[in-house]
Amino acid sequence: MSLRDALRIPSAAITDEAVYHDRRRLLAAFAATPALTLAGCADAEPPPAAKVTITPAQAKSGFRTAEELTRYQDVTSYNNFYEFGTGKVDPSRAAKTLRTSPWSVAVGGECAKPGRIALEDLLKGFKPEERIYRLRCVEGWSMVIPWLGVPLGDVLKRFQPTSKAKYVAFTTLGDPQQMPGIRYPVLDWPYREGLRIDEAMHPLAFLATGLYGKALPQQNGAPLRLLVPWKYGFKGIKSIVAIDFVEKMPETAWHQSQPSEYGFFSNVNPTVDHPRWSQKSERRIAGSASKLFAERIPTKLFNGYAEQVASLYAGMDLKKWF
Ligand code: MTE
């Protein structure tokens, strides 16, 4: 089965193209946001996850939103993918050098069925779903994007994580031949991210393979990227080549770079400011032709997904475990 076939989904399941194309906005007009600079969290081991179950109804209610979508052209030309440069337009210009096929993912660590698996096989048997998620960047802007992909937890279960698998670590490709930005020591490459296992198994956690009904463009993290919609966008690691089940909280690229600024959890939280700027509001990149400036809107706890995910953090001090 080709990747194209693996990604094919019934057109009725995808938001109408006409609806997409009807959306207009002006990109140029939002205020300069602070540069995404360096990250972190407290170094001690956090308390264990509370034992709570999420009802299917609770989980389901976050899968889509009726909010105005960000235009395809903005989703694919205003990016953060530092392996291709730190400017917002750099990835859409430079990432064409990323070869996304063939692609495989090495799955290892605390699981019964480790191994390197071709992307086609990783996705085999899954029917890609469309999820319309808000993406809230730590820099203070946000988008609403219709993604295609598969639930992360369902993919992870196939590798049979053991009881020692307390966290899941993800790694991006780190090839300087294909990724010119890696020549600069902006981060300690390769880009790495992590989730607690219950976060990874939450029905909202998603592995995207496409957006707007098409295969994922390179600049958006082709061929496989993570989406954790209740966390800041930098948790959404792109172009994943390795997934490891681990016992200890894994190091992440941003935490390693600036531990006081970027925590492991990185849950969207308007009451916990970034040390250098407020997180109380955001500019939605989704305006319409009638609005010159994207309006600043209040940021919601867990990016508006509190109903679905707040129970994951029951009893945790979110100011400490930011
Ligand atoms: N993944 C890798 N490998 N490298 C990156 O620089 N940037 C992150 C995240 N994933 C990044 C990454 C940040 S800061 C954000 S906000 C989102 O990707 C942006 O995703 P988008 O460009 O698809 O909107």
Side-chain angles (χ1 to χ4, degrees):
M1 184 172 60
S2 73
L3 182 57
R4 192 174 287 276
D5 289 335
L7 297 178
R8 195 159 286 151
I9 65 167
S11 55
I14 303 174
T15 301
D16 188 3
E17 283 268 345
V19 176
Y20 293 158
H21 293 136
D22 198 36
R23 299 171 197 277
R24 277 168 287 152
R25 44 135 269 110
L26 287 163
L27 176 64
F30 44 96
T33 47
L36 182 61
T37 31
L38 313 176
C41 78
D43 285 312
E45 198 68 11
K51 294 253 178 302
V52 273
T53 50
I54 290 125
T55 66
Q58 279 174 326
K60 247 199 152 57
S61 60
F63 289 177
R64 296 174 85 83
T65 167
E67 286 154 284
E68 185 175 17
L69 300 178
T70 301
R71 288 191 313 177
Y72 180 82
Q73 67 188 80
D74 296 336
V75 173
T76 57
S77 65
Y78 189 85
N79 300 102
N80 277 334
F81 199 167
Y82 280 14
E83 289 86 336
F84 296 97
T86 55
K88 292 288 179 272
V89 297
D90 292 347
S92 59
R93 291 187 181 146
K96 299 299 164 217
T97 52
L98 176 64
R99 288 189 305 276
T100 58
S101 179
W103 193 270
S104 63
V105 181
V107 182
E110 301 293 346
C111 64
K113 295 194 176 297
R116 178 173 289 280
I117 182 165
L119 182 60
E120 295 77 26
D121 294 329
L122 187 81
L123 299 173
K124 202 177 257 164
F126 286 106
K127 203 166 126 254
E129 297 172 29
E130 188 185 67
R131 297 280 179 89
I132 302 180
Y133 280 163
R134 291 180 287 276
L135 183 147
R136 176 27 167 112
C137 185
V138 73
E139 297 167 313
W141 49 266
S142 60
M143 300 195 189
V144 181
I145 303 173
W147 302 97
L148 289 178
V150 295
L152 172 66
D154 292 347
V155 172
L156 295 182
K157 278 177 205 151
R158 292 186 163 184
F159 300 93
Q160 300 177 11
T162 70
S163 58
K164 283 185 166 174
K166 302 272 193 275
Y167 295 89
V168 189
F170 301 86
T171 309
T172 293
L173 179 73
D175 180 1
Q177 300 297 322
Q178 298 180 61
M179 299 170 139
I182 285 189
R183 284 183 230 131
Y184 305 94
V186 187
L187 289 169
D188 183 19
W189 313 109
Y191 196 100
R192 284 147 298 134
E193 259 306 338
L195 294 172
R196 210 171 57 189
I197 190 84
D198 60 327
E199 298 178 317
M201 293 297 175
H202 191 282
L204 283 173
F206 201 60
L207 280 175
T209 54
L211 58 82
Y212 270 95
K214 303 182 216 260
L216 210 55
Q218 283 115 318
Q219 61 268 34
N220 292 94
L224 189 72
R225 65 89 62 82
L226 179 66
L227 292 169
V228 197
W230 68 96
K231 295 178 180 282
Y232 289 112
F234 65 86
K235 297 298 276 187
I237 181 171
K238 295 177 169 182
S239 307
I240 297 167
V241 292
I243 300 178
D244 286 284
F245 297 98
V246 294
E247 202 171 357
K248 294 266 175 264
M249 183 186 276
E251 183 57 287
T252 69
W254 282 106
H255 175 258
Q256 184 175 21
S257 164
Q258 281 293 338
S260 63
E261 298 192 350
Y262 302 94
F264 176 80
F265 288 96
S266 301
N267 293 315
V268 173
N269 190 339
T271 70
V272 178
D273 286 337
H274 185 280
R276 290 180 286 124
W277 59 85
S278 163
Q279 293 292 21
K280 287 190 179 51
S281 67
E282 66 203 56
R283 273 187 197 278
R284 182 61 58 80
I285 302 180
S288 66
S290 61
K291 281 183 252 158
L292 268 180
F293 292 88
E295 277 167 39
R296 191 159 274 285
I297 53 173
T299 289
K300 292 190 180 139
L301 181 62
F302 299 116
N303 201 21
Y305 299 95
E307 199 185 323
Q308 292 83 29
V309 303
S311 55
L312 293 175
Y313 310 101
M316 265 174 79
D317 177 351
L318 297 177
K319 290 202 159 61
K320 181 172 181 206
W321 302 108
F322 59 94

